[in-house]
Amino acid sequence: MPSNKTIVIFIISASIVACIWLFTKEKNTEGDNQVVAGNPRAVVETENDWQKILTDVDSSQNEISSVVRPVDEEIVNDTSLTAKISQDFLSQYFLSIRDDGTITDAEISQITKNIVSMPEYTQIKGAVYLQANLNIVNKNNRDFVTSYKNTVNRLLRESSTQVKENPVDIAMTAIETENESVLLKLDPTIRITKGFIEDMLAIEVPSSATSHHLKLLNAISNILASLEAMRDSVSDPIAGIAGINHYQNTTSEDLNFALLDINSYFAQRTGSAI
């Protein structure tokens, strides 16, 4: 998982490039340029086959380099997450510079911490599904729950076996090479994930399984949001990094807990787990 240190390096590097661009532009422009401070936002990380839906992630091999994209004259109007965080950094940076034009490393570090301490930059959230979205039936006998269990197990296995490449590796390669075409490899996984969600919304769910079904469904929904954020890794690297972090957290925590939760339900209702 890209660490906070990696993200801090990225922010500082991108912002320094922006600083150089702004200072250069200032020298070639008549009149005074006023810097307006922005509001701080933030940047932001099983044992059985059925627990490996979408893909396993080996965080020990995930090293992300600080890639600084050139800052062009459209940066002010850029609405990407990367542009917004750079603008926030620059706003606080310029406000902190002393009259003699100096600023300490500690002050730069504090500015960066201020920015990464807020949730807006890393808060990736998928669609939240509710009980009303499910096809719930009042059938809770052992045979029906067993049939439901087999259906869920089949959907999980089919989804996980269709994914051929690690989404995190794809996104990181795209960021490091600045090759947007690499991100096309994420499309099959996004399509598979959407299909899984559609299937989970369509199947008949025993009323006793409602909360367990929703927990799994919403975990997958968050994974889809992470994948879609990673899909923008080249045009918006900060969003891509946030997507990588969120994907790894969701697959290792939320999805794992949801799978354990529904598996416990199956064991109680049918006498056997998936």
Side-chain angles (χ1 to χ4, degrees):
M1 177 189 307
S3 64
N4 285 338
K5 181 178 180 181
T6 298
I7 298 173
V8 167
I9 291 172
F10 186 92
I11 296 171
I12 294 176
S13 300
S15 300
I16 288 174
V17 172
C19 284
I20 294 172
W21 176 79
L22 288 172
F23 280 130
T24 301
K25 183 178 180 181
E26 183 178 11
K27 290 180 180 179
N28 297 320
T29 304
E30 294 183 358
D32 295 331
N33 293 327
Q34 182 178 6
V35 179
V36 180
N39 293 326
R41 305 181 185 88
V43 182
V44 262
E45 168 171 302
T46 63
E47 300 176 352
N48 299 321
D49 290 340
W50 57 268
Q51 290 178 303
K52 298 179 180 179
I53 182 171
L54 298 181
T55 192
D56 286 332
V57 177
D58 183 359
S59 60
S60 65
Q61 297 180 2
N62 292 334
E63 294 292 337
I64 229 177
S65 60
S66 59
V67 180
V68 181
R69 294 179 58 76
V71 179
D72 56 36
E73 294 189 4
E74 296 181 354
I75 187 172
V76 175
N77 299 319
D78 194 341
T79 59
S80 69
L81 206 58
T82 301
K84 289 179 181 178
I85 197 171
S86 296
Q87 290 165 14
D88 280 351
F89 179 92
L90 288 171
S91 295
Q92 295 192 40
Y93 180 90
F94 284 128
L95 287 173
S96 300
I97 292 179
R98 297 177 180 80
D99 292 338
D100 61 359
T102 63
I103 186 171
T104 67
D105 290 342
E107 288 170 328
I108 293 175
S109 178
Q110 186 59 52
I111 292 170
T112 306
K113 288 179 181 179
N114 290 342
I115 294 174
V116 301
S117 66
M118 301 295 288
E120 285 82 356
Y121 285 126
T122 54
Q123 194 172 41
I124 297 174
K125 188 70 175 177
V128 177
Y129 295 98
L130 307 174
Q131 180 174 334
N133 302 122
L134 303 182
N135 183 15
I136 300 173
V137 295
N138 191 25
K139 300 178 182 178
N140 295 292
N141 60 74
R142 181 168 179 169
D143 288 343
F144 187 81
V145 174
T146 298
S147 176
Y148 164 71
K149 176 185 72 173
N150 293 337
T151 300
V152 172
N153 188 30
R154 174 179 59 80
L155 293 176
L156 286 168
R157 288 184 180 277
E158 288 178 354
S159 297
S160 61
T161 56
Q162 287 180 57
V163 175
K164 304 302 180 183
E165 295 188 67
N166 188 323
V168 170
D169 289 344
I170 294 171
M172 290 176 61
T173 298
I175 292 173
E176 292 168 355
T177 62
E178 298 187 59
N179 185 353
E180 194 162 9
S181 64
V182 173
L183 295 171
L184 293 173
K185 295 180 180 180
L186 288 174
D187 290 349
T189 303
I190 292 173
R191 185 168 55 252
I192 291 165
T193 308
K194 288 181 177 179
F196 179 85
I197 291 173
E198 291 173 359
D199 289 336
M200 289 286 283
L201 290 171
I203 65 174
E204 292 187 335
V205 180
S207 57
S208 59
T210 301
S211 63
H212 312 287
H213 192 94
L214 284 173
K215 187 174 293 185
L216 176 57
L217 181 60
N218 285 315
I220 300 299
S221 178
N222 281 329
I223 287 175
L224 175 60
S226 300
L227 291 169
E228 291 176 334
M230 284 191 274
R231 188 63 174 78
D232 295 327
S233 291
V234 172
S235 61
D236 195 352
I238 292 295
I241 293 173
I244 290 171
N245 280 331
H246 192 259
Y247 178 89
Q248 292 179 316
N249 285 333
T250 303
T251 52
S252 65
E253 297 178 9
D254 295 351
L255 178 59
N256 190 44
F257 291 151
L259 290 168
L260 291 173
D261 176 72
I262 200 167
N263 204 39
S264 176
Y265 165 80
F266 289 144
Q268 293 173 3
R269 289 281 178 163
T270 70
S272 64
I274 291 179

